[in-house]
Amino acid sequence: EVQLLESGGGLVQPGGSLRLSCAASGFTFTNYAMGWVRQAPGLGLECVSSISGDGRTTYYADSVKGRFTFSRDNSGNTLYLQMNSLRAEDTGIYYCARAGPYFLDYWGQGTLITVSS
Amino acid sequence: EIVMTQSPATLSLSPGERATLSCRASQSVSRSLAWYQQKPGQAPRLLIHGSSTRATDIPARFSGSGSGTEFSLTISSLQSEDFAVYYCQQYSNWPRTFGQGTKVEIK
């Protein structure tokens, strides 16, 4: 059974940093690209970033480019999203998802990030 | 960036009725179009990919169609568990973009 479990969310002040993790299990991790999708409170979905199976290729939404870094540890089946210079508009639920191969076929339950002073 | 536009914003229907949701892309995405269902407090769930291929364990009452810039999702006979928000997403280009969602609510 495919499982994705996010962690690392919480309350952070504007300008602060946070690192999200996503532990994956139930599939051959290196065979899949992965992504982060966020959802602001009461709003729609935004693809934040994606990473190839070997970790060599990443994509970022313009809204987070230069501030967020997406990486993966293929030996530990874990994803990381390092978020710096956080802004109020980064507030929301962050989901990690498996790209199977391009659409998102499995999603974690999400972790909430609140950027506020 | 490809803009995805869904209509209507809200669809008020009764159980057993047919629901038809629309999604339009600002430029062609061929058949690189997925539909997701999201219920309150839950993560989105993949329903359809490749415009018309049902994902694993998705009931046959869900069907998708379209190519290029015009797509639709049809639920042939609404069940109580189908009342939710539905999103389309293009995966032809980066950034992958979602529509703003269509809420299917009980009339």
Side-chain angles (χ1 to χ4, degrees):
Chain A
E1 179 191 5
V2 173
Q3 291 193 332
L4 299 169
L5 184 60
E6 304 94 338
S7 61
L11 174 64
V12 61
Q13 292 189 339
S17 297
L18 213 54
R19 189 175 83 156
L20 304 184
S21 300
C22 175
S25 61
F27 63 102
T28 304
F29 189 60
T30 53
N31 286 356
Y32 291 87
M34 303 293 294
W36 287 98
V37 177
R38 70 182 179 185
Q39 186 168 35
L43 298 180
L45 302 166
E46 179 188 14
C47 283
V48 171
S49 185
S50 73
I51 192 167
S52 59
D54 61 6
R56 294 180 181 179
T57 303
T58 52
Y59 294 95
Y60 297 94
D62 285 345
S63 57
V64 306
K65 201 172 293 183
R67 300 187 297 122
F68 289 13
T69 302
F70 192 2
S71 60
R72 63 191 295 161
D73 172 6
N74 282 347
S75 64
N77 288 10
T78 303
L79 305 171
Y80 300 101
L81 186 66
Q82 178 66 43
M83 305 185 295
N84 299 330
S85 304
L86 284 162
R87 307 167 179 167
E89 55 265 36
D90 295 319
T91 293
I93 298 173
Y94 285 67
Y95 298 99
C96 71
R98 189 180 84 166
Y102 301 109
F103 48 87
L104 301 171
D105 60 354
Y106 286 93
W107 298 60
Q109 281 306 298
T111 187
L112 176 63
I113 310 300
T114 303
V115 184
S116 175
S117 54
Chain B
E1 174 176 313
I2 298 176
V3 177
M4 306 301 291
T5 304
Q6 292 185 240
S7 61
T10 304
L11 203 49
S12 298
L13 295 168
S14 301
E17 289 194 293
R18 182 184 187 91
T20 301
L21 289 65
S22 296
C23 175
R24 173 176 292 178
S26 61
Q27 65 188 73
S28 177
V29 298
S30 186
R31 294 181 62 83
S32 299
L33 192 285
W35 290 93
Y36 302 87
Q37 176 194 66
Q38 188 178 33
K39 297 179 181 179
Q42 296 185 17
R45 177 176 71 145
L46 177 68
L47 296 177
I48 301 282
H49 60 88
S51 175
S52 61
T53 302
R54 278 190 303 277
T56 303
D57 296 331
I58 300 303
R61 64 180 181 272
F62 291 92
S63 62
S65 65
S67 65
T69 62
E70 300 284 343
F71 301 88
S72 64
L73 174 70
T74 299
I75 310 171
S76 60
S77 178
L78 281 165
Q79 305 299 300
S80 57
E81 62 267 30
D82 300 336
F83 291 94
V85 179
Y86 293 83
Y87 295 95
C88 62
Q89 182 212 18
Q90 66 80 20
Y91 51 91
S92 176
N93 288 4
W94 183 265
R96 313 303 196 210
T97 45
F98 291 89
Q100 79 280 18
T102 290
K103 182 179 182 180
V104 179
E105 64 176 24
I106 300 175
K107 186 174 182 180

